[in-house]
Amino acid sequence: MRVIDTHCDALYKLQAGKGKYTFQDAEELDVNFERLIEAKMLLQGFAIFLDECVPVEHKWKKAVEQVNIFKQHVLHKGGVIHQVKKWSDLENFPEEKIGAVLTLEGIEPIGRDLDKLTQLLDAGVLSVGLTWNNANLAADGIMEERGAGLTHFGKEIIHRLNERKVFTDVSHLSVKAFWDALEEANFVIASHSSAKAICSHPRNLDDDQIKAMIEHDAMIHVIFHPLFTTNSGVANMEDVVRHIEHISELGGVKNIGFGSDFDGIPNHIKGLENAGKYQDFLQVLEKHFTKEEVAGFASQNFLNHLPK
């Protein structure tokens, strides 16, 4: 059973490592080539993410550097890993290939320049989260105390994404910005969020948000971060299953996918320490759901929701 994972931070870790890691098999990487093979990965999302301490004048350069790392180190020289630059690429995708797609986590690299956004979209970015946790020129993030919604510029960005049939990712948005984005965006996804009813962390979606996502027929990709999985911050695979069960009970069984946040988390779910553990997790899910439902979570739900 092949897998789609909409969010990892391997590019950030490769950049921070300054050449110390090889994407082929570095143990330090939760997502590397060998682990993608082991996972039977169909598509892996690779986020462009910048640490908040990067000076404003260096953000664009750092983002472009991550795009180059993706091209030079992630896209496999043997042609096994293939960049997905438009969602239709996934139709009849070859069994022997692994898809890799660029995403953007926070619009800080573009400043106020929509031409830079266009450059990233032209490079293959197919999903854009307007914020990380803090406020920026587009919106407030979920950890910004003010809790404001979208700015006019944020709405302009979403309109550009709509034109290009690119996902607007609501995972890190403030609650107000989440609701604003649902009004503006034609193609919505939560690339790495779980259920607040199960774990009360602010980064998770509450039941009203989950129901709204389902009503919009949008995908919710559960995250594998222990901090967002249990209130104790210690978790195993069964704890992740509880989030999937809860979203399913709200009517979202066909709207669930995976967004691990591998390489962006400081600790791991027991048994889900890296991408190579995905097939083990699918076996656990099959104890709770039908094989067809698990196939949906693994990849088919996402394939059914591609922008058209």
Side-chain angles (χ1 to χ4, degrees):
M1 194 178 290
R2 300 196 74 184
V3 174
I4 289 175
D5 181 332
T6 48
H7 191 87
C8 82
D9 284 298
L11 300 181
Y12 172 77
K13 191 177 280 189
L14 284 164
Q15 184 180 51
K18 298 179 179 178
K20 288 191 296 184
Y21 312 139
T22 168
F23 187 75
Q24 177 73 23
D25 57 3
E27 280 292 322
E28 294 86 354
L29 293 173
D30 301 337
V31 174
N32 62 34
F33 176 70
E34 291 186 354
R35 286 171 171 162
L36 291 177
I37 295 290
E38 193 175 356
K40 299 183 181 177
M41 196 66 71
L42 170 59
L43 178 72
Q44 177 66 62
F46 288 86
I48 300 166
F49 169 73
L50 304 182
D51 193 286
E52 58 186 328
C53 69
V54 175
V56 171
E57 63 271 22
H58 296 286
K59 288 184 184 294
W60 176 246
K61 178 182 176 183
K62 287 287 188 179
V64 171
E65 187 176 291
Q66 287 190 22
V67 173
N68 290 333
I69 288 169
F70 175 77
K71 292 178 178 178
Q72 295 167 14
H73 299 282
V74 171
L75 300 182
H76 196 250
K77 299 296 189 293
V80 177
I81 299 183
H82 173 77
Q83 183 178 5
V84 171
K85 294 191 73 171
K86 56 185 185 296
W87 290 122
S88 59
D89 290 349
L90 289 173
E91 296 173 7
N92 304 312
F93 200 73
E95 187 70 29
E96 69 277 7
K97 301 285 188 182
I98 296 171
V101 64
L102 285 169
T103 69
L104 179 63
E105 188 173 24
I107 57 88
E108 285 82 356
I110 73 169
R112 286 193 174 274
D113 190 345
L114 285 173
D115 287 340
K116 287 181 177 175
L117 174 64
T118 298
Q119 288 180 54
L120 291 176
L121 299 181
D122 289 345
V125 168
L126 291 180
S127 180
V128 174
L130 299 183
T131 70
W132 185 58
N133 288 334
N134 306 318
N136 62 22
L137 296 174
D140 276 8
I142 191 61
M143 304 306 287
E144 186 68 40
E145 291 183 7
R146 178 178 54 179
L150 295 181
T151 64
H152 179 72
F153 183 58
K155 292 177 182 180
E156 280 190 276
I157 290 171
I158 291 179
H159 297 161
R160 183 70 58 92
L161 302 183
N162 289 343
E163 291 169 3
R164 297 287 293 257
K165 298 184 178 180
V166 169
F167 281 116
T168 295
D169 183 0
V170 299
S171 275
H172 276 278
L173 289 176
S174 72
V175 174
K176 176 68 166 62
F178 168 92
W179 293 109
D180 289 348
L182 246 57
E183 290 291 322
E184 301 289 336
N186 293 341
F187 311 104
V188 182
I189 191 171
S191 70
H192 56 306
S193 293
S194 291
K196 190 175 286 187
I198 304 300
C199 174
S200 59
H201 195 284
R203 271 277 286 103
N204 286 333
L205 301 174
D206 65 33
D207 283 1
D208 286 341
Q209 291 174 306
I210 291 170
K211 290 174 185 176
M213 292 287 283
I214 295 166
E215 288 172 7
H216 280 73
D217 203 22
M219 288 293 293
I220 302 166
H221 286 245
V222 295
I223 188 171
F224 298 164
H225 191 342
L227 189 64
F228 305 161
T229 305
T230 66
N231 290 322
S232 70
V234 178
N236 58 34
M237 287 191 279
E238 290 287 347
D239 292 313
V240 182
V241 172
R242 292 175 62 214
H243 288 264
I244 294 172
E245 287 178 329
H246 183 76
I247 297 168
S248 296
E249 288 165 2
L250 293 176
V253 71
K254 296 186 182 298
N255 299 83
I256 296 168
F258 306 136
S260 63
D261 207 9
F262 282 141
D263 290 308
I265 51 180
N267 46 53
H268 298 86
I269 304 290
K270 185 177 180 181
L272 264 175
E273 291 83 6
N274 57 63
K277 307 292 187 179
Y278 255 118
Q279 293 300 316
D280 295 339
F281 183 48
L282 297 183
Q283 290 181 20
V284 171
L285 282 168
E286 286 184 359
K287 298 176 183 176
H288 299 266
F289 298 92
T290 67
K291 198 172 188 70
E292 182 181 4
E293 288 169 338
V294 175
F297 305 152
S299 59
Q300 194 58 50
N301 287 348
F302 183 80
L303 294 174
N304 292 343
H305 288 81
L306 294 177
K308 298 194 186 299

